[in-house]
Amino acid sequence: MAGRSHITLSHRLLVALGVVSFLFWAVMTTLSTRDNITQVNELYDVHLAHTAKAFLQMMDPDHNEEFFPTTMSSAAIDRLFNSWPELPNRASIFKNPAAPPENVSSAPPGPKVQPDIRPPGSRKTQYGSSLRYQLWRDDGHLLFRSDNAPLDRMTKTMGYSDNADEQGKGWRNYHVHDTSHGVKIIVSEPHDFRAKLVRNMVIAAATPLALGLPVLFLLLWFSIRKGLHPLATLSQEISKRQPNNLTLIDARSVPDEVQPIVTALNDLLTRMGQTLDHERRFTDDAAHQLRTPLAAIQAQLYVARHTQAEAPRQLALEQMQHSVERGIRLVNQLLTLARLDPKQARPEFQSLRLEKIAETICAELAPLALQREQSLELVAEPDLPPVSGNADMLAMLLSNLVDNAIHYTPRGGNILIDLQADGSGVQLSVCDDGPGIAPGQRHQVFERFYRIAEQSQPGTGLGLAICKRVADLHHASLTLADGLAGRGLCVRLHLTP
């Protein structure tokens, strides 16, 4: 199955910022274009109204001279709009509207109008040539129209209106009534002109966007690469490290946004260092402690192979059996201790009845106590509250405490397992009347492989270390005190619900 394509963080940021920038730019361009279109429509509507009023002044319906025409091209009307105030004689231009005005200099003094110098085919010229004009008397007689205007009234609606001609072409109309002259003027503008103008505006607005997007993406890419440079530096620093280099990374040298990652990485390095130390210490301890029983087995095996007498051979085999048992016990306890690292993840806890676990352990170890003619007694206060913990670990802890009490209590001694509620949880006590531990050495017996010098019983020095690990995992307190009748040892464990 092919792997999924890898997308870098810089590519994700580039795409995200590019899309956001494009959307923002597109929205702003759309809103700006919409506002401009509204303003353009309002401007051209005003221009349409002014054109109608200028057309009325130019035609002057009060003069009914014989030269008054009935039709004229829209282009000619547009030229008259730009030159008629300077004409000395309106009659000549109406008789020959296609001829340019002459003798402008002999015109009477008046307001000077700048002559129209627009080149042919300009947008304004095309606009003026596309307009339609009609001049109607109030009695319904058509006085004048442009040659592109129909004989019928273009619109009956006063003011602004929109309609379509017989060919389906849309028109914007302005219809005004001049009551002083008794005429009505209608000027129409094609919809196509404004639509073309809108298209040009959209293209003009979108062109900078289309041309600027590549530049924007280039700038974004450069900015992102520059902004992510500390991450690249951090990655190179980590990749160049040797596997045994667990030195913490300086979080002050990275940006604030990266500091949580560096802090978490430093925490991981710290835990890895602790784990490696734990494994190294376990290996050293195992090698040191296993050396003695293995050497004893080798020596006893040599005796058994080279001794002809039956009695020494049997003794060597028995001692070899004891050495093997001691080695097995040592290995099991070392493995148990390795699994009970307090810095590992907390085991699964549940609500437990501690008296049930104590009953099971006492039933398993009672035969061993009977062999040594010892009294093993379990006293549990009724209605003990449940505690929170791991059943297997607590059983291991109690088994080690009871087993130690049996082994270190002389033959015929007494062992008491007591369970009591103390208000904040349950207190477990394992007490005996054996030799006990001197108060000055009680804080050392929880260390691994520590054994009291004058101790005659065989052991590995790991039993109480295992119990301490279990207590630490349960956040419980494990203390040592004097045993029964002021003699021996009493180990107390306090567990909470």
Side-chain angles (χ1 to χ4, degrees):
M1 182 177 178
R4 298 174 59 183
S5 59
H6 178 66
I7 302 179
T8 63
L9 180 60
S10 59
H11 290 166
R12 291 177 184 270
L13 290 175
L14 180 61
V15 172
L17 292 177
V19 171
V20 171
S21 301
F22 174 79
L23 292 178
F24 175 78
W25 204 342
V27 170
M28 295 302 297
T29 302
T30 302
L31 295 177
S32 176
T33 303
R34 186 183 64 181
D35 293 340
N36 291 336
I37 291 173
T38 301
Q39 294 177 6
V40 166
N41 286 330
E42 293 176 354
L43 179 63
Y44 272 87
D45 281 346
V46 172
H47 181 269
L48 204 62
H50 288 173
T51 301
K53 294 175 183 179
F55 176 67
L56 177 65
Q57 295 177 5
M58 184 183 69
M59 298 304 297
D60 193 7
D62 289 337
H63 298 82
N64 294 323
E65 295 94 342
E66 66 279 1
F67 61 82
F68 198 86
T70 58
T71 61
M72 187 181 296
S73 68
S74 296
I77 297 175
D78 185 54
R79 288 196 298 272
L80 287 177
F81 279 155
N82 293 278
S83 58
W84 73 269
E86 300 184 1
L87 296 180
N89 189 349
R90 292 174 60 251
S92 62
I93 192 62
F94 279 122
K95 288 181 180 180
N96 189 13
E102 298 178 356
N103 301 325
V104 175
S105 59
S106 61
K112 188 72 174 177
V113 178
Q114 187 69 23
D116 187 18
I117 57 174
R118 292 183 300 271
S122 67
R123 183 174 298 179
K124 181 61 177 67
T125 303
Q126 295 175 1
Y127 173 75
S129 302
S130 63
L131 295 179
R132 301 190 306 182
Y133 304 87
Q134 283 185 340
L135 180 66
W136 294 84
R137 274 203 318 243
D138 288 349
D139 59 3
H141 178 68
L142 178 63
L143 292 177
F144 177 82
R145 70 179 179 88
S146 59
D147 57 1
N148 59 348
L151 296 176
D152 298 332
R153 194 183 298 269
M154 292 186 294
T155 181
K156 296 182 179 180
T157 304
M158 302 302 295
Y160 296 102
S161 63
D162 294 279
N163 59 9
D165 56 16
E166 296 179 355
Q167 289 77 28
K169 184 177 181 179
W171 294 86
R172 177 70 168 171
N173 308 304
Y174 180 73
H175 188 183
V176 61
H177 183 203
D178 185 2
T179 56
S180 60
H181 296 89
V183 294
K184 296 178 181 178
I185 304 98
I186 304 175
V187 180
S188 294
E189 172 192 278
H191 284 172
D192 293 345
F193 179 81
R194 294 194 186 185
K196 183 177 180 181
L197 183 62
V198 169
R199 286 195 300 270
N200 293 336
M201 289 180 62
V202 172
I203 293 174
T207 299
L209 174 62
L211 297 178
L213 275 179
V215 179
L216 176 63
F217 273 93
L218 182 62
L219 294 176
L220 286 176
W221 177 81
F222 177 78
S223 302
I224 291 172
R225 290 293 299 271
K226 192 70 174 178
L228 295 180
H229 181 70
L231 283 180
T233 303
L234 178 63
S235 175
Q236 292 177 0
E237 178 184 350
I238 296 175
S239 62
K240 292 179 180 178
R241 285 195 171 198
Q242 297 298 323
N244 59 347
N245 184 5
L246 299 179
T247 306
L248 300 184
I249 301 172
D250 186 8
R252 297 172 299 178
S253 62
V254 298
D256 294 343
E257 293 79 6
V258 188
Q259 284 187 1
I261 300 177
V262 175
T263 302
L265 186 58
N266 284 338
D267 181 64
L268 176 61
L269 292 175
T270 302
R271 287 185 279 116
M272 287 180 62
Q274 293 171 349
T275 301
L276 291 176
D277 290 341
H278 174 74
E279 292 180 354
R280 191 179 303 112
R281 192 166 56 249
F282 171 79
T283 304
D284 294 341
D285 293 342
H288 178 269
Q289 294 299 322
L290 288 174
R291 187 180 296 114
T292 299
L294 290 176
I297 292 173
Q298 185 179 20
Q300 292 153 6
L301 180 60
Y302 178 83
V303 172
R305 292 180 61 182
H306 293 83
T307 300
Q308 301 298 327
E310 184 65 23
R313 181 181 297 176
Q314 290 298 326
L315 180 60
L317 291 176
E318 290 178 3
Q319 291 177 347
M320 190 185 305
Q321 177 68 28
H322 292 317
S323 297
V324 170
E325 292 176 356
R326 183 173 181 269
I328 292 174
R329 177 181 175 86
L330 178 61
V331 170
N332 289 335
Q333 288 187 321
L334 284 172
L335 294 176
T336 300
L337 195 62
R339 290 196 301 268
L340 296 179
D341 183 5
K343 296 181 176 60
Q344 292 179 351
R346 169 177 160 167
E348 182 180 356
F349 282 11
Q350 56 186 346
S351 181
L352 303 172
R353 308 294 300 191
L354 196 56
E355 63 271 23
K356 300 294 184 182
I357 298 177
E359 291 175 0
T360 302
I361 297 301
C362 288
E364 292 178 354
L365 297 179
L368 181 59
L370 290 176
Q371 290 178 5
R372 299 174 63 87
E373 300 177 358
Q374 295 170 340
S375 171
L376 180 62
E377 183 181 3
L378 172 62
V379 178
E381 187 178 291
D383 300 326
L384 288 174
V387 297
S388 177
N390 183 275
D392 294 335
M393 290 187 178
L394 290 178
M396 183 190 307
L397 180 147
L398 186 55
S399 177
N400 271 280
L401 293 180
V402 176
D403 184 73
N404 282 349
I406 293 174
H407 278 87
Y408 293 105
T409 300
R411 183 178 295 274
N414 299 296
I415 301 169
L416 174 64
I417 297 96
D418 184 38
L419 294 170
Q420 293 183 0
D422 61 356
S424 59
V426 176
Q427 179 172 281
L428 166 68
S429 300
V430 179
C431 305
D432 60 62
D433 55 0
I437 300 175
Q441 293 180 309
R442 288 175 183 174
H443 68 284
Q444 295 177 312
V445 295
F446 292 118
E447 298 177 3
R448 293 180 299 173
F449 307 111
Y450 179 82
R451 286 180 54 79
I452 300 174
E454 62 272 14
Q455 186 60 254
S456 59
Q457 291 292 331
T460 61
L462 291 174
L464 288 179
I466 292 175
C467 294
K468 187 67 170 70
R469 288 286 181 89
V470 174
D472 290 342
L473 287 171
H474 285 77
H475 303 290
S477 62
L478 190 66
T479 58
L480 303 181
D482 293 336
L484 299 176
R487 298 175 52 195
L489 181 69
C490 187
V491 184
R492 292 190 176 95
L493 176 71
H494 181 266
L495 291 169
T496 57

